[in-house]
Amino acid sequence: MPVLTETEERKEFLAFTDSIINVSQMIFTRQGGEIYGNFDALNGKRIAQVRGFDVTSKIESDYPEIEIIKVNSIPEALRLVSTGEVDATVGSIPVSNYYITDQTLSNITIVGETGYQSENGFGIRKDLSLLQSAFHKALNSITTEKKTVISRTWVGLTAQSEIDYIIVWQIVFASGLVILFFVVWNSKLKEAQQKADAANMAKSVFLANMSHEIRTPLNAIMGFSDAMLVGIGGELTNPKHKEYLNDIKNSGEHLTTVINDILDLSKIESGKWVLKGDQFSLNDCINDAIKMVLPKAKEKNIEVYYKIDPVINIKGDQHGMTRVFMNLFTNAIKFTNEGGTVKCQVTEKENGNIEIDIIDNGIGIPEDRLDDVLKPFEQSQSNHELNEEGTGLGLAIVKNLVELHEGSLKLSSKVKMGTTATITLPENRVIA
């Protein structure tokens, strides 16, 4: 049974218990975008909020200059932030982080506080008086110590209202532990490839279950690092502190990519990636992926061209296919030199199959490594000095997700001329 925030509307048909969990409402936005330390910074901006939520009503009343785009769910609000269609969204750390992990929205981070606190308790229908009595007795029997443990377990991190320079060293220490954990664990994963299938499955299941525990502190580390760098809560006067924070932020962003790749692959291998039967526009799916990678393309002055004719609707897992295209576009941009081009074209074959080509004019892949790069932990160049940062998991994830859709992935490439990644989806995935 979920906990609810008490509102006048809900009190008409629900009786509420005393509050058992209090959570802070935080500002979430895209990584690398503007920093909104409080609501005043959001004046004139667009935010996505769930209609009917208590915090939505408060923002409407207290900050009329903020434009609110109302949506039906938290995942929908977070996706609008991820694709840049709105500037931010306001939510609690535990709930928002759950959906950020579940939807693999790796480009969203915490940037500021709102000052709003949500007091949450159980809401019970007023006509169920015996159930109301039972709940009150059960909750009254919980000691203060146990309530504290429950709150820490489910709520996790909260933001401090003032920034103390001691937090810099706390973040450095926490970040170091996370980095050390993944350096050691990544090494063990590579060794585990050579072990029995049972051991490999156990590893995958373990990593899939670790997603919330890892992402929650890492997301907060990056968000508060960003906030401190722009001076929210007080200007940092020591250049060394700024240098440390930049290192923490860059390491956190790299770790986020590593974590997402490892968790996605482990979820697929352990059978936890359940393929959804959505019906969606292939055009919208590709456009969403392009929006997420466009900032990286602009940094390198790379033009991204997209042509689709005709408009095609398909049946499959929209979230999974967006992840496929995002990985392929990211790889194409990463290994294309400044001023290059990346093209995407979609064609419908005579046999009814759909072919999607993503073409770049980058550094290319040696012919003897075309098969290897589709395997986990393999990269395009055997000489590590030529490799960009990464785990070598992106194409392995793409291959697995495409095969879950009964499709295939093919790579063709010439060194110093570029690479073409071709996805083929079968006729039975196309909606007439």
Side-chain angles (χ1 to χ4, degrees):
M1 178 182 291
V3 292
L4 301 170
T5 302
E6 184 175 329
T7 65
E8 292 300 321
E9 181 181 359
R10 290 170 178 167
K11 283 166 62 177
E12 292 180 5
F13 59 94
L14 294 175
F16 282 84
T17 66
D18 292 338
S19 174
I20 59 171
I21 295 178
N22 296 337
V23 293
S24 297
Q25 299 291 328
M26 309 297 289
I27 301 172
F28 291 79
T29 187
R30 289 180 64 171
Q31 289 180 14
E34 290 188 50
I35 302 295
Y36 306 108
N38 51 44
F39 273 130
D40 291 334
L42 285 168
N43 282 341
K45 302 294 184 180
R46 289 158 53 91
I47 67 172
Q49 295 298 130
V50 180
R51 57 172 53 88
F53 274 21
D54 181 51
V55 68
T56 304
S57 301
K58 287 181 178 178
I59 297 171
E60 281 183 314
S61 172
D62 297 343
Y63 299 93
E65 294 184 7
I66 297 176
E67 182 182 353
I68 298 177
I69 308 300
K70 293 185 179 180
V71 297
N72 295 322
S73 65
I74 295 172
E76 187 179 351
L78 291 168
R79 279 194 295 272
L80 291 179
V81 175
S82 178
T83 57
E85 295 174 60
V86 298
D87 298 296
T89 187
V90 173
S92 67
I93 289 178
V95 175
S96 297
N97 270 335
Y98 169 80
Y99 286 112
I100 287 170
T101 301
D102 182 66
Q103 300 291 314
T104 323
L105 302 173
S106 57
N107 62 339
I108 296 180
T109 187
I110 303 168
V111 296
E113 299 179 76
T114 65
Y116 289 154
Q117 287 274 340
S118 294
E119 297 184 351
N120 298 281
F122 290 106
I124 304 158
R125 278 174 27 202
K126 287 188 173 181
D127 59 326
L128 300 176
S129 56
L130 290 177
L131 183 59
Q132 293 175 32
S133 176
F135 260 86
H136 283 295
K137 288 179 181 178
L139 293 175
N140 288 336
S141 69
I142 301 175
T143 65
T144 302
E145 292 76 11
K146 286 184 179 179
K147 286 182 179 179
T148 301
V149 171
I150 292 171
S151 180
R152 287 175 179 170
T153 300
W154 291 103
V155 176
L157 297 174
T158 55
Q160 296 179 354
S161 59
E162 295 184 2
I163 292 180
D164 189 330
Y165 289 126
I166 295 174
I167 197 173
V168 176
W169 302 107
Q170 292 173 336
I171 293 175
V172 170
F173 178 73
S175 181
L177 287 179
V178 175
I179 292 170
L180 179 61
F181 173 82
F182 274 97
V183 168
V184 175
W185 189 249
N186 226 13
S187 175
K188 290 185 179 295
L189 286 181
K190 292 181 180 180
E191 295 174 3
Q193 285 183 284
Q194 302 170 358
K195 296 181 180 180
D197 290 340
N200 189 56
M201 182 62 71
K203 171 264 299 180
S204 298
V205 173
F206 170 75
L207 281 174
N209 291 334
M210 284 285 286
S211 58
H212 175 72
E213 288 77 6
I214 295 170
R215 282 294 305 275
T216 297
L218 185 57
N219 200 13
I221 287 170
M222 290 190 297
F224 291 135
S225 298
D226 272 332
M228 293 175 70
L229 280 169
V230 297
I232 292 176
E235 185 70 24
L236 292 174
T237 56
N238 190 324
K240 270 293 178 187
H241 289 171
K242 290 186 178 181
E243 181 183 339
Y244 294 152
L245 283 170
N246 273 310
D247 290 341
I248 291 166
K249 179 176 177 291
N250 293 335
S251 297
E253 289 174 351
H254 178 55
L255 275 174
T256 299
T257 302
V258 173
I259 291 168
N260 287 338
D261 285 347
I262 293 175
L263 292 175
D264 281 349
L265 188 60
S266 68
K267 187 185 290 186
I268 295 169
E269 289 179 347
S270 63
K272 287 196 171 185
W273 192 298
V274 179
L275 201 66
K276 298 177 182 177
D278 304 327
Q279 294 185 8
F280 60 92
S281 164
L282 185 62
N283 181 45
D284 291 344
C285 185
I286 294 173
N287 273 326
D288 284 347
I290 291 175
K291 287 177 183 177
M292 293 182 193
V293 301
L294 206 54
K296 289 291 184 184
K298 288 181 178 179
E299 286 178 11
K300 298 177 70 175
N301 195 28
I302 292 173
E303 292 288 341
V304 180
Y305 299 99
Y306 172 42
K307 178 183 178 183
I308 181 168
D309 186 26
V311 174
I312 296 169
N313 294 316
I314 63 174
K315 178 174 65 177
D317 190 324
Q318 184 172 4
H319 167 57
M321 289 306 298
T322 302
R323 181 80 165 121
V324 164
F325 296 127
M326 188 173 70
N327 279 15
L328 291 177
F329 281 121
T330 298
N331 267 15
I333 292 167
K334 184 188 295 184
F335 295 107
T336 297
N337 295 325
E338 289 195 15
T341 60
V342 175
K343 295 191 298 182
C344 177
Q345 58 190 33
V346 179
T347 54
E348 191 169 5
K349 311 302 286 185
E350 291 183 1
N351 61 3
N353 291 349
I354 299 297
E355 242 181 43
I356 306 107
D357 294 305
I358 296 177
I359 308 161
D360 67 63
N361 61 351
I363 63 174
I365 304 170
E367 187 174 352
D368 61 351
R369 295 195 58 78
L370 284 174
D371 291 333
D372 292 336
V373 295
L374 297 177
K375 300 173 184 176
F377 303 106
E378 293 287 347
Q379 295 183 316
S380 62
Q381 305 286 342
S382 57
N383 180 354
H384 293 293
E385 293 181 0
L386 298 177
N387 289 332
E388 294 271 352
E389 281 190 347
T391 57
L393 291 173
L395 288 176
I397 292 170
V398 169
K399 181 175 181 292
N400 277 277
L401 286 175
V402 170
E403 288 176 353
L404 282 177
H405 286 82
E406 306 166 274
S408 63
L409 170 67
K410 179 184 176 183
L411 296 179
S412 58
S413 184
K414 289 187 178 181
V415 175
K416 297 183 180 179
M417 295 187 66
T419 301
T420 298
T422 301
I423 295 172
T424 303
L425 295 176
E427 180 185 10
N428 62 0
R429 288 286 171 183
V430 182
I431 300 172

